[in-house]
Amino acid sequence: MTRFEARNTSSDDLPVPPEPIWEVLTSPELLAEMTPLIDHIDEVEDSYWRWHMANIAGVGVAVSPCFTVRMDFDPTERIDFTHEPVGKERAGADGIYTLEPIEGGTHLAVDMSVHVDLPLPAISRPAVTRVMHATMARMGDRFAQNLCRHLGITR
């Protein structure tokens, strides 16, 4: 197995207060509904969520990762999530959501890293990493569109 990793950062100013954004980011159901390629998220125990991804195919390999993260909440300001595997998990994610009140709304920033262990040689790293980056960017764009629609923001 070879470990492949990718990171994506993004931010935007949204014309709503932090609370409705917080509601989405702290709801496993809403977050899964709005994020492409996430099949569902289970809250397995207090502060631990198990993310179930849809089938992801690329570079000759298809995977349906499932991974567990510890969620640390600083109400309406910050969410840290850290991969804490339960048993053998071949994928994981770590990241931070920050919400900062600004005049007329909220500045939302996301910094997320994902990793996956695949039965591919290390020489395939550039191709796999490109696919991972592109997939994460598309997921982020679609999540942003869905979040804006949910919040009643038209752009």
Side-chain angles (χ1 to χ4, degrees), residues 26-105:
T26 59
S27 166
E29 295 81 16
L30 286 174
L31 194 57
E33 180 183 313
M34 291 186 199
T35 308
L37 299 180
I38 295 181
D39 184 61
H40 65 282
I41 300 171
D42 297 322
E43 193 168 359
V44 290
E45 60 182 81
D46 189 39
S47 298
Y48 285 86
W49 292 5
R50 178 155 302 142
W51 298 53
H52 299 266
M53 305 295 291
N55 192 38
I56 303 169
V59 196
V61 174
V63 294
S64 299
C66 174
F67 53 88
T68 308
V69 296
R70 184 185 74 240
M71 305 294 291
D72 293 310
F73 302 103
D74 186 359
T76 68
E77 293 181 9
R78 181 180 172 113
I79 301 169
D80 291 273
F81 54 99
T82 307
H83 182 225
E84 290 196 7
V86 174
K88 184 171 175 74
E89 296 181 356
R90 293 179 34 192
D94 299 282
I96 302 166
Y97 295 101
T98 56
L99 295 86
E100 180 182 345
I102 57 172
E103 186 174 328

Side-chain angles (χ1 to χ4, degrees), residues 77-135:
E77 293 181 9
R78 181 180 172 113
I79 301 169
D80 291 273
F81 54 99
T82 307
H83 182 225
E84 290 196 7
V86 174
K88 184 171 175 74
E89 296 181 356
R90 293 179 34 192
D94 299 282
I96 302 166
Y97 295 101
T98 56
L99 295 86
E100 180 182 345
I102 57 172
E103 186 174 328
T106 303
H107 179 77
L108 173 63
V110 181
D111 184 345
M112 180 182 302
S113 297
V114 298
H115 67 267
V116 62
D117 297 328
L118 297 173
L120 295 171
I123 196 166
S124 62
R125 189 172 315 283
V128 173
T129 301
R130 265 193 311 278
V131 169
M132 289 176 71
H133 280 288
T135 301

